[in-house]
Amino acid sequence: MLAVARTALERYHDVTVDDDGALTFAHGGVVCALQGLDLEDGLPVLNLTCVVAWDLPAESDVPSQVALGLGEGLFGTARVIRGDAGWDVTWRYAFPASGLDEKAMGTLLMLVVSGASSLRAALQPE
């Protein structure tokens, strides 16, 4: 399943294969990692984690903005974490991957990373 995902992603991005087999790439300033696992025999799942923003000002109201739907998308869940230097924001999506061909996989992955990129753009100060 990661091989299909890699081929699909390489149509749009430069993809790196990490030592653990994860695929990493960047989309619109968002760094993403795609990992695969078998939840049980016959149930392969892909987990896409995107780092949307980091070290956003601690005095900003990032958690409320995200909770109220800033950058809301159908394919992914935002998470806000208080780091040492401010707010960090990630975007995650996990899905069963069996039966997806390259075209379908590429479409789904681009929907997810587009949501992450939209959230990043909404969080950027003007």
Side-chain angles (χ1 to χ4, degrees), residues 55-88:
D55 297 341
L56 296 174
E59 63 277 356
S60 64
D61 199 16
V62 172
S64 293
Q65 290 175 328
V66 172
L68 292 172
L70 181 70
E72 191 171 86
L74 295 175
F75 298 96
T77 302
R79 181 162 186 211
V80 179
I81 304 152
R82 177 62 190 258
D84 292 335
W87 298 109
D88 299 333

Side-chain angles (χ1 to χ4, degrees), residues 50-113:
C50 302
V51 180
V52 173
W54 55 93
D55 297 341
L56 296 174
E59 63 277 356
S60 64
D61 199 16
V62 172
S64 293
Q65 290 175 328
V66 172
L68 292 172
L70 181 70
E72 191 171 86
L74 295 175
F75 298 96
T77 302
R79 181 162 186 211
V80 179
I81 304 152
R82 177 62 190 258
D84 292 335
W87 298 109
D88 299 333
V89 182
T90 60
W91 185 266
R92 295 187 68 189
Y93 190 67
F95 58 97
S98 62
L100 293 177
D101 65 14
E102 180 185 324
K103 184 176 179 185
M105 180 78 73
T107 299
L108 182 56
L109 291 170
M110 288 304 97
L111 286 169
V112 177
V113 297

Side-chain angles (χ1 to χ4, degrees), residues 4 6 9 14 16 22 42 56 58 78 81 103 111 116 123 125:
V4 173
R6 179 180 179 181
L9 285 169
D14 292 327
T16 302
L56 296 174
I81 304 152
K103 184 176 179 185
L111 286 169
L123 288 169

